[in-house]
């Protein structure tokens, strides 16, 4: 009778241990958490970018570390001439190993000179300073011209712009 009781207790504990191990493998717990962040990146005494977000979760202690911004981001980039570009999204996640940032939900990039790109999801490759998406996009410029369609990739400064399929209206002025 005692042997049966001990064997039963052993197997019931074994099952609970497996459940706990399974839970710890599937639930991510952030290493760090911050509310209302205002992060300024400087280089040689000049502000290069300002990142603002209501919430940041840092998962740097897992195998594939990432930083999550579940309530969105607002980023202002400054070039060497002081011109600004603004990036806004409802959600963002930055993967440390690949240096890819995934922006999701009402993604808008606006430049100081009136150029604007809107889409629902946009990736940014930090190493190559390159944006890309397979989602529908709309690009407009200061003269009222626009391009839209599925899939686009472009350089950070909008100087190289590749579209998969597009339609739109381009306004030109002869000088």
């Amino acid at each position: 009778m005692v042997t049966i009781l001990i064997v039963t207790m052993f197997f019931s504990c074994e099952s609970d241990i497996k459940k706990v191990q399974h839970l710890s493998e599937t639930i991510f717990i952030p290493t760090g958490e911050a509310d209302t962040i205002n992060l300024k990146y400087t280089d040689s005494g000049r502000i290069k970018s300002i990142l603002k977000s209501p919430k940041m979760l840092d998962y740097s202690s897992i195998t594939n570390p990432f930083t999550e911004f579940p309530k969105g981001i607002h980023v202002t980039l400054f070039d060497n001439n002081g011109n600004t570009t603004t990036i806004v999204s409802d959600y963002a996640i930055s993967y440390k190993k690949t240096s890819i940032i995934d922006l999701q939900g009402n993604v808008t990039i606006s430049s100081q000179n009136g150029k604007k790109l809107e889409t629902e999801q946009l990736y940014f490759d930090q190493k190559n300073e390159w944006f890309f998406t397979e989602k529908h996009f709309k690009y407009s410029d200061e003269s009222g011209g626009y391009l839209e369609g599925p899939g686009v990739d472009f350089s950070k400064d909008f100087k190289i712009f590749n579209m998969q399929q597009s339609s739109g209206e381009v306004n030109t002025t002869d000088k």
Side-chain angles (χ1 to χ4, degrees):
M1 185 75 145
V2 172
T3 306
I4 293 173
L5 182 61
I6 291 173
V7 170
T8 304
M9 286 176 46
F10 176 74
F11 283 112
S12 68
C13 289
E14 177 83 20
S15 176
D16 289 341
I17 290 171
K18 286 182 181 177
K19 285 180 186 176
V20 169
Q21 286 174 338
H22 178 70
L23 284 174
S24 68
E25 290 173 0
T26 58
I27 296 175
F28 292 119
I29 298 172
T31 306
E33 186 173 329
D35 292 325
T36 316
I37 68 163
N38 184 350
L39 179 68
K40 294 177 179 149
Y41 172 73
T42 60
D43 184 12
S44 302
R46 291 184 140 185
I47 294 177
K48 293 293 188 176
S49 63
I50 300 172
L51 176 121
K52 295 180 181 180
S53 180
K55 183 97 166 157
M56 181 186 82
L57 303 172
D58 179 32
Y59 295 90
S60 58
S61 63
I62 61 174
T63 306
N64 293 308
F66 62 92
T67 303
E68 182 179 29
F69 301 90
K71 295 183 178 179
I73 61 167
H74 184 279
V75 178
T76 305
L77 304 172
F78 299 90
D79 70 9
N80 292 334
N81 299 322
N83 298 317
T84 61
T85 300
T86 304
I87 303 169
V88 178
S89 71
D90 294 340
Y91 174 86
I93 187 166
S94 175
Y95 298 98
K96 294 192 187 328
K97 283 188 177 178
T98 61
S99 296
I100 298 289
I101 300 173
D102 180 1
L103 305 163
Q104 298 176 24
N106 299 311
V107 181
T108 304
I109 299 178
S110 307
S111 67
Q112 184 173 324
N113 61 5
K115 295 176 182 174
K116 184 177 183 179
L117 184 119
E118 301 167 279
T119 186
E120 279 304 306
Q121 184 173 30
L122 188 66
Y123 296 97
F124 180 59
D125 178 346
Q126 295 177 84
K127 288 178 186 171
N128 297 309
E129 298 187 332
W130 201 260
F131 288 95
F132 58 96
T133 186
E134 295 294 320
K135 302 284 186 185
H136 187 272
F137 75 93
K138 182 175 182 182
Y139 170 80
S140 55
D141 62 26
E142 65 282 0
S143 64
Y146 72 93
L147 295 168
E148 62 183 332
V152 65
D153 65 281
F154 55 96
S155 60
K156 183 175 100 172
D157 58 7
F158 284 103
K159 289 184 179 177
I160 302 171
F161 204 82
N162 303 311
M163 296 158 285
Q164 293 175 8
Q165 299 175 16
S166 66
S167 63
E169 180 179 307
V170 178
N171 297 323
T172 60
T173 56
D174 294 330
K175 291 186 178 185

